[in-house]
Amino acid sequence: MRDGSSSGASLCDFGPPPPCPVRFNLAAHTLAAGPDDKIALTVARAGDDPNPERMTYGDLRRRVMRAAGGLRDLGVAPGDRVMLRIGHSTDFPIFFLAAAALGAAPVPTSTLLSADEARFIAEETEARAILVSEGLALETAPAPQIAPEEAMGAPLDAFADTTADDLAYIVYTSGSSGRPKGVAHAHRAAWARRMMWRGWYGLSGDDVMLHAGAFNWTYTLGAGLMDPWAAGASTLIYAGPRDPGVWPRLAETFGATIFAAAPGVYRQLLKSEAKLVGMKRLSHALSAGETMAAGLRADWNAKVGKPIYEALGMTECSTFISSCPDAPHRAGMAGRPQPGRKVALLPIEGGAIDGSDAPVPRGEAGVISVHRSDPGLMLGYWKRPEDTAATMRGDWFATGDIGVMDADGYIRFEGRGDDQMNALGYRVAPEEVEAALVSHPAVTGAAAVELPVREDLSVIAAFLTCEGEAPDEETLRAHAAEHLASYKTPKIFRILPDLPRNPNGKLRRRDLIAEYGFKPAK
């Protein structure tokens, strides 16, 4: 189990990663493994759906190449950006892969984004086209808005001859400047995900992956679709009413071997009256998006008895620390670096920007950092070279997450080094929420925090100062909803006479968490 390091430093080098071909296309790689007649995707609308939608690998490849040809016919060229504003539909992965097949860069976005947020992304990426589902078109947009069914054409003859380092896609994450930041990834990011097959999923071509997310969530896109397809496995997605007890029925009906979800789904399932027989037939389950509470894991173990392998990652590098069949879950730990990864914990304070600082000793807290040679590491933040440079410490990408490494290379997650929040598995910068709140004429100051309200649940809370008569909570919530996606909108609003600040005037958000957050009984 030990990683072989004898220095006692918080450094794990489980490399080298598998070498990526120089000429490499994300879509070609994703679609290469499965035989034409094998089922690639099943879409069920009930736990025992007698007539689910099925798509073979041959069907999948043909649809992707027709969508790529349609984009070409619309004037999209290699290097162009194509924004996706598509709901819970197979159109989402089809057009994501189609854009990559053409050599363009898809920009997947959540349908929860407000019109202002979506328009900002379209403008900043200079999108050549916007693929929109019914009811999601923007009133004004900087690029043509096209329904997916209108963007199918004659098939593209061949995948674009891209290199591993060419731009493949851009995913937006909440930015500390109050604006979301585009994380630009290369085609090699798809190749890097192979390290998760053994290091997290325990994935083979014989598996049936049941993912609880919607098609248009990047967790579903990667773990639920692209990775199983690249391995030649089958995937199962649910498109029916949101019933927390449906998952065991789906697993039993369609023979799922792996179940992937966020902790909230497990919580809802275990609280339901559902029979769990189907879950007991799984090989194992996966969890990501937020830390799974120990009590929730214990409840699952008692009722289901199948292991859950958890993963820690971020948009800039996907998941890179996890438990897996070869490295079982260890209580209190996020997991170990995956095979092929090189991870270190660098000093929290006083770190040298040139990377000359050494990893902290094992057992001490440090900034979780990924070596720049990792093929899954982003190209950088779109049009933000200064933000990209600020994340690098010599040869290391400093994630901002704090951890402690034990003697076997397992890492305990200690939280963010900054004030980033987690909402439903999405990273949210407090500055972005605060900027929306202070745009209300009565609000003079705002502090947004991830506030624990019970042992296994945290929500975004807003603490405000106001001039004159303070708006009521309903008014503040409506104002926030006009400017923010629903998952970024605070669930709690509290008016205070003042906000805590340090002598330099910087907000002390952690003071608010300490004073108003849930405190477990001692």
Side-chain angles (χ1 to χ4, degrees):
M1 180 84 62
R2 299 178 71 91
D3 63 85
S5 172
S6 59
S7 66
S10 293
L11 170 66
C12 280
D13 187 355
F14 289 136
C20 184
V22 174
R23 313 302 303 186
F24 183 78
N25 181 274
L26 175 152
H29 166 75
T30 301
L31 300 172
D36 271 358
D37 59 353
K38 181 174 181 176
I39 297 298
L41 173 66
T42 299
V43 183
R45 289 167 175 79
D48 54 355
D49 190 346
N51 188 31
E53 178 185 351
R54 295 189 187 274
M55 193 182 302
T56 66
Y57 273 95
D59 296 332
L60 178 62
R61 283 187 275 264
R62 284 188 287 272
R63 286 189 63 181
V64 168
M65 297 309 266
R66 282 192 59 217
L71 292 176
R72 172 204 57 203
D73 295 344
L74 289 167
V76 176
D80 286 343
R81 275 73 62 198
V82 178
M83 181 170 155
L84 308 182
R85 189 167 164 81
I86 300 175
H88 184 28
S89 161
T90 54
D91 289 330
F92 190 88
I94 293 295
F95 277 93
F96 180 92
L97 292 171
L102 183 61
V107 184
T109 63
S110 169
T111 57
L112 298 176
L113 294 180
S114 69
D116 287 346
E117 291 170 313
R119 192 176 300 106
F120 167 80
I121 292 172
E123 290 172 349
E124 184 169 84
T125 59
E126 299 174 280
R128 180 68 179 82
I130 305 173
L131 276 296
V132 293
S133 295
E134 184 178 356
L136 292 175
L138 301 173
E139 188 173 336
T140 60
Q145 300 185 84
I146 305 156
E149 60 271 19
E150 296 174 355
M152 302 296 280
L156 192 70
D157 292 333
F159 293 97
D161 183 25
T162 51
T163 73
D165 287 321
D166 284 342
L167 174 67
Y169 62 96
I170 304 171
V171 178
Y172 270 75
T173 186
S174 196
S176 59
S177 65
R179 296 186 301 162
K181 291 190 293 189
V183 179
H185 274 289
H187 284 268
R188 56 176 159 75
W191 179 265
R193 298 186 66 89
R194 296 170 66 94
M195 293 184 279
M196 301 180 208
W197 297 5
R198 177 185 168 193
W200 178 24
Y201 305 148
L203 178 67
S204 76
D206 296 327
D207 281 307
V208 176
M209 173 76 79
L210 167 58
H211 201 293
F215 281 108
N216 58 3
W217 191 17
T218 51
Y219 177 21
T220 311
L221 181 66
L225 298 170
M226 288 173 54
D227 289 335
W229 289 340
S234 297
T235 67
L236 171 61
I237 301 294
Y238 177 58
R242 291 284 102 180
D243 171 10
V246 75
W247 310 113
R249 299 198 302 276
L250 287 164
E252 187 169 12
T253 301
F254 297 100
T257 58
I258 302 174
F259 177 59
V265 174
Y266 290 96
R267 187 181 303 114
Q268 292 168 358
L269 169 60
L270 293 173
K271 285 184 177 180
S272 74
E273 299 298 321
K275 295 180 180 179
L276 300 175
V277 174
M279 291 310 195
K280 295 179 181 179
R281 296 179 180 178
L282 296 171
S283 170
H284 54 270
L286 308 172
S287 179
E290 58 183 290
T291 302
M292 176 170 280
L296 178 58
R297 182 183 291 275
D299 193 18
W300 170 271
N301 288 339
K303 293 179 179 178
V304 178
K306 294 292 183 177
I308 295 179
Y309 300 123
E310 198 166 358
L312 176 69
M314 60 193 311
T315 306
E316 290 84 345
C317 196
S318 195
T319 68
F320 54 94
I321 293 170
S322 51
S323 54
C324 65
D326 292 338
H329 171 74
R330 183 172 292 182
M333 296 294 188
R336 288 199 310 165
Q338 296 159 356
R341 308 287 189 183
K342 186 174 182 179
V343 175
L345 270 56
L346 301 182
I348 298 173
E349 301 291 344
I353 194 69
D354 64 0
S356 60
D357 47 300
V360 301
R362 297 206 176 191
E364 292 189 12
V367 180
I368 302 172
S369 304
V370 181
H371 198 266
R372 71 186 315 149
S373 62
D374 194 303
L377 188 60
M378 67 174 180
L379 290 166
Y381 295 113
W382 183 254
K383 295 186 176 180
R384 312 278 182 88
E386 66 288 348
D387 288 342
T388 303
T391 65
M392 300 304 300
R393 289 168 63 172
D395 286 336
W396 296 97
F397 168 74
T399 67
D401 288 335
I402 306 301
V404 176
M405 184 181 292
D406 72 8
D408 296 320
Y410 277 82
I411 294 174
R412 182 174 71 249
F413 177 59
E414 299 271 292
R416 290 289 301 171
D418 53 26
D419 294 316
Q420 289 270 326
M421 304 178 291
N422 186 307
L424 303 176
Y426 296 92
R427 284 173 59 204
V428 179
E431 293 88 349
E432 184 178 0
V433 177
E434 291 158 4
L437 293 170
V438 298
S439 67
H440 190 285
V443 176
T444 57
V449 302
E450 181 182 343
L451 191 72
V453 293
R454 63 175 192 245
E455 188 174 14
D456 62 347
L457 180 64
S458 296
V459 301
I460 293 180
F463 296 87
L464 309 172
T465 57
C466 296
E467 183 176 34
E469 184 176 354
D472 60 29
E473 184 169 325
E474 184 176 340
T475 300
L476 290 168
R477 193 180 310 280
H479 175 78
E482 286 183 14
H483 300 279
L484 297 167
S486 59
Y487 67 86
K488 301 177 188 177
T489 300
K491 300 296 185 287
I492 295 173
F493 293 85
R494 192 172 192 131
I495 308 298
L496 299 178
D498 294 292
L499 298 175
R501 299 181 183 275
N502 68 12
N504 294 324
K506 185 176 181 180
L507 280 172
R508 296 177 61 95
R509 298 184 183 90
R510 295 187 183 278
D511 289 359
L512 294 168
I513 297 172
E515 183 171 353
Y516 297 101
F518 169 79
K519 299 174 181 63
K522 295 182 179 180

